[in-house]
Amino acid sequence: MSPSNRARGCLITVEGIDGAGKSTQVEHLATLLAARGLRTLTTREPGATSLGRELRRLLLARELALASDAELFLFLADRAEHVATVIAPALAAGAVVLCDRFADSTIAYQGHGRGRDLARVRRWSDESSAGIAPDLTLLLDCPIALGAERRRHENDRYEILDSSFHERVRAGFLVEAAAAPQRIRRIDASRPLAEVSAEVARVTLAWLDARGYSAAPASASA
Ligand code: TYD
């Protein structure tokens, strides 16, 4: 890895349908990376900032009607604030940023799921993240019936949508993964938790090792 990239840190995102087990894997990875002495920032979308928490409430409230572009732009406002105030400063400080959902969720849910024009969603999504894109994405993939079983509650705007919506989202993630195989690694999340965690760890640590992130960077102790 070049010294300039090394100074920048890296952005690792975890993606998947509702109930795929992202949050558990993000927690597990954060613990693993911290144990390696890597300076790690764990965050999520939507809702990681003060503005984001307000937007998350509006976005998930099923009783609040949202026009499709209003929904899209609220997610992108959440991202713009998140990138500007949390992600970009952490990357500049050399941290490994671990983010539970990012731009691929917008492409999968608002693009493939809602059936909106993909090129347009992609263009606006790129605008909102100010040139910051994931370096590595772990796609936790499982059948939607399994995701539905694993969900603890079923009452937000997305969880109550029918299975055909979630099928389109899952298929959308897989299309995106096929188009960017170097960045997006599909992980079969239908297996027992220990197996999924082991593969998440193996893929991530190999990726970090290959880029010189395994030894604690000088900034890790700062
Ligand atoms: P999340 O917090 O991951 O859901 P959960 O509470 O089930 O862990 O995300 C909330 C919902 O927002 C989820 O159904 C996916 C949706 N979402 C989008 O539709 N577009 C986006 O750009 C993002 C980031 C999330």
Side-chain angles (χ1 to χ4, degrees), residues 129-220:
S129 52
I132 284 176
D135 296 293
L136 172 68
T137 297
L138 304 168
L139 171 60
L140 299 181
D141 180 54
C142 71
I144 59 142
L146 184 57
E149 242 172 64
R150 285 176 178 169
R151 272 183 243 146
R152 280 180 300 242
H153 44 83
E154 266 218 326
N155 49 18
D156 76 28
R157 185 183 304 277
Y158 302 94
E159 288 166 340
I160 59 165
L161 292 175
D162 62 19
S163 58
S164 61
F165 175 83
H166 293 284
E167 290 288 10
R168 288 195 298 279
V169 171
R170 181 188 183 199
F173 275 127
L174 292 173
V175 165
E176 298 302 315
Q182 291 303 316
R183 173 178 67 88
I184 306 179
R185 309 289 171 83
R186 176 186 172 274
I187 289 173
D188 177 359
S190 63
R191 294 169 299 168
L193 182 61
E195 281 180 40
V196 178
S197 300
E199 193 180 348
V200 163
R202 187 182 58 71
V203 170
T204 308
L205 294 178
W207 187 92
L208 288 166
D209 279 349
R211 285 154 188 83
Y213 278 98
S214 291
S219 56

Side-chain angles (χ1 to χ4, degrees), residues 15-19 22-23 44-46 56 59-60 71-72 75-76 78-79 100-110 114 151-153 156-159 165-166:
E15 297 279 8
I17 59 166
D18 293 80
K22 290 176 296 89
S23 310
R44 70 164 183 174
E45 291 193 357
R56 181 183 173 92
L59 279 163
L60 298 190
E71 179 197 52
L72 171 65
F75 276 113
L76 300 186
D78 173 70
R79 179 155 316 126
D100 186 339
R101 294 197 185 281
F102 194 68
D104 292 304
S105 278
T106 312
I107 305 299
Y109 282 78
Q110 279 64 56
R114 295 288 197 205
R151 272 183 243 146
R152 280 180 300 242
H153 44 83
D156 76 28
R157 185 183 304 277
Y158 302 94
E159 288 166 340
F165 175 83
H166 293 284

